[in-house]
């Protein structure tokens, strides 16, 4: 997939590459190393990648033992969060900004994490419940991360964490966008009153009206508070597009006035021979509303 993107970028340069979560299968260090090694082979793409946490990165306890319970006081969940946060910082830490109390994107992610580097390192090396407790709130406080718009009327990206706080296989796919995070998102959007936005999160806002066959497709894994979150987004719907992953379903549509793009998975794609992803182009219409052009479908052979 990265090689195909690199070919496209060499001919028609891309502005941003959004990875909407699940960079790993279970948040293991070897999986993160493989992901970062793959990006290292494509530095031009890596400089444009914006990624966000998926439930497989932070909530999956043990893929080899689906019935395993991760107790709330276990440091394992915090360890997966710190791995994810460290990987995100390695990729985009100097390009995304966190939100201060007034809603202004202030420090870069790397600057915001700098005071905690020693605690993160000690926890990663030695573990322990007390070291995990000392990092409480650090993961959640960094969201939303903002790629600020480039000038008046520019396009910004708001990167959310939509993973619910769960510790068991039957619930680890659930999503939730907290009220505190939503307030920070709204404050950041108000800070740029003429900007347009891509609002990026992992989970889908609702279950889509489409035929399904398998049991996994019928399980509700949308945001627990999806209808509430959609209502909060309505005031920005003219100048925003919501993009997400999680469901591996190719779907583009609306909920209320919000425009929504669901990304197919280029790893767990449509069939055994090939999978695909999309290149989206956005434009501002004569009514000053943000519009999506017809997407370009890019197929890649799985072999």
């Amino acid at each position: 997939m990265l090689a195909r993107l690199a070919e496209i970028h060499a001919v028609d340069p891309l502005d941003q590459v959004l990875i909407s979560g699940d960079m790993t299968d279970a948040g293991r260090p070897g999986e993160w190393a493989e992901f970062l090694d793959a990006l290292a082979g494509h530095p031009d793409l890596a400089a444009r990648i914006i990624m966000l946490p998926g439930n497989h990165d932070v909530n999956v306890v043990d893929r080899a033992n689906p019935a395993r319970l991760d107790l709330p006081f276990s440091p394992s969940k915090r360890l997966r969060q710190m791995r994810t946060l460290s990987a995100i910082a390695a990729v985009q830490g100097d390009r995304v900004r966190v939100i201060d109390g007034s809603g202004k994107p202030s420090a870069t992610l790397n600057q915001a994490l700098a005071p905690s580097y020693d605690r993160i390192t000690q926890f990663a090396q030695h573990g322990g419940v007390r070291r995990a407790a000392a990092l409480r709130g650090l993961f959640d406080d960094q969201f939303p991360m903002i790629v600020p718009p480039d000038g008046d009327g520019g396009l910004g990206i708001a990167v959310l964490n939509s993973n619910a706080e769960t510790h068991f296989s039957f619930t680890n796919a659930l999503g939730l966008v907290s009220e505190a995070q939503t307030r920070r998102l709204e404050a950041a959007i108000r800070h740029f009153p003429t900007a347009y936005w891509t609002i990026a999160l992992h989970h889908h806002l609702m279950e889509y009206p489409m035929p399904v066959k398998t049991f996994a497709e019928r399980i509700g894994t949308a945001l627990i508070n999806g209808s509430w979150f959609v209502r909060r987004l309505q005031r920005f719907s003219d100048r925003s597009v919501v993009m997400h992953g999680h469901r591996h379903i190719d779907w583009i549509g609306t909920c209320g006035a919000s425009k929504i793009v669901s990304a197919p998975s280029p790893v767990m794609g449509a069939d055994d021979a090939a999978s695909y992803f999309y290149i989206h182009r956005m434009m501002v219409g004569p009514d000053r509303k943000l519009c999506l052009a017809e997407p370009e479908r890019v197929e890649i052979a799985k072999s």
Side-chain angles (χ1 to χ4, degrees):
M1 181 193 70
L2 290 171
R4 184 72 183 93
L5 269 176
E7 292 173 358
I8 294 169
H9 177 66
V11 176
D12 187 6
L14 302 166
D15 295 309
Q16 306 283 354
V17 178
L18 175 63
I19 304 178
S20 51
D22 287 353
M23 286 70 67
T24 69
D25 191 39
R28 291 174 288 214
E31 294 170 344
W32 280 118
E34 186 174 358
F35 172 78
L36 294 173
D37 283 348
L39 293 191
H42 301 279
D44 285 347
L45 290 181
R48 290 162 172 79
I49 283 176
I50 298 295
M51 53 195 254
L52 53 87
N55 66 297
H56 280 256
D57 303 315
V58 297
N59 274 349
V60 171
V61 178
D62 185 352
R63 290 289 287 171
N65 183 9
R68 182 178 173 187
L69 177 67
D70 193 6
L71 296 174
F73 55 80
S74 167
S76 299
K77 173 70 170 284
R78 187 81 66 237
L79 183 58
R80 293 192 296 274
Q81 288 179 341
M82 292 304 105
R83 287 174 185 155
T84 302
L85 193 57
S86 297
I88 289 175
V91 172
Q92 64 209 39
D94 291 325
R95 291 182 289 123
V96 296
R97 296 184 175 271
V98 297
I99 307 302
D100 65 15
S102 67
K104 179 181 178 181
S106 53
T108 66
L109 176 60
N110 281 342
Q111 291 169 340
L113 292 179
S116 303
Y117 278 159
D118 288 343
R119 285 183 293 148
I120 294 173
T121 300
Q122 288 297 312
F123 175 54
Q125 291 177 344
H126 305 291
V129 174
R130 290 185 179 180
R131 293 187 184 92
L135 297 168
R136 185 187 304 275
L138 182 64
F139 184 78
D140 292 332
D141 290 347
Q142 310 312 313
F143 296 95
M145 303 173 187
I146 299 295
V147 179
D150 184 13
D152 188 42
L155 180 69
I157 303 176
V159 178
L160 279 65
N161 168 39
S162 61
N163 293 284
E165 191 71 21
T166 64
H167 305 273
F168 188 48
S169 60
F170 290 149
T171 59
N172 66 34
L174 296 178
L176 176 74
V177 177
S178 70
E179 185 172 359
Q181 186 179 182
T182 303
R183 286 199 302 267
R184 291 194 291 269
L185 170 66
E186 292 168 338
I189 292 177
R190 287 195 300 267
H191 188 74
F192 299 97
T194 64
Y196 298 88
W197 292 92
T198 296
I199 299 174
L201 70 164
H202 182 58
H203 291 77
H204 45 307
L205 281 63
M206 60 189 180
E207 299 298 339
Y208 297 129
M210 56 190 301
V212 296
K213 296 180 180 179
T214 67
F215 177 69
E217 290 176 324
R218 295 195 296 269
I219 297 176
T221 58
L223 291 178
I224 297 170
N225 60 340
S227 59
W228 172 85
F229 188 60
V230 168
R231 290 195 300 272
R232 295 289 285 261
L233 293 179
Q234 293 307 294
R235 70 192 75 174
F236 313 117
S237 59
D238 285 352
R239 52 192 180 106
S240 67
V241 172
V242 179
M243 292 186 165
H244 70 81
H246 189 46
R247 274 301 242 150
H248 311 165
I249 288 176
D250 175 3
W251 191 87
I252 301 174
T254 60
C255 182
S258 293
K259 298 171 285 293
I260 302 172
V261 176
S262 173
S265 171
V267 177
M268 302 175 70
D271 56 47
D272 293 334
S275 62
Y276 60 96
F277 58 87
Y278 286 112
I279 295 177
H280 292 276
R281 288 178 172 83
M282 300 183 195
M283 60 194 69
V284 177
D287 55 1
R288 306 305 299 168
K289 293 182 179 180
L290 184 64
C291 304
L292 281 168
E294 186 74 18
E296 177 186 346
R297 176 174 165 139
V298 179
E299 295 196 0
I300 48 175
K302 288 190 175 180
S303 59

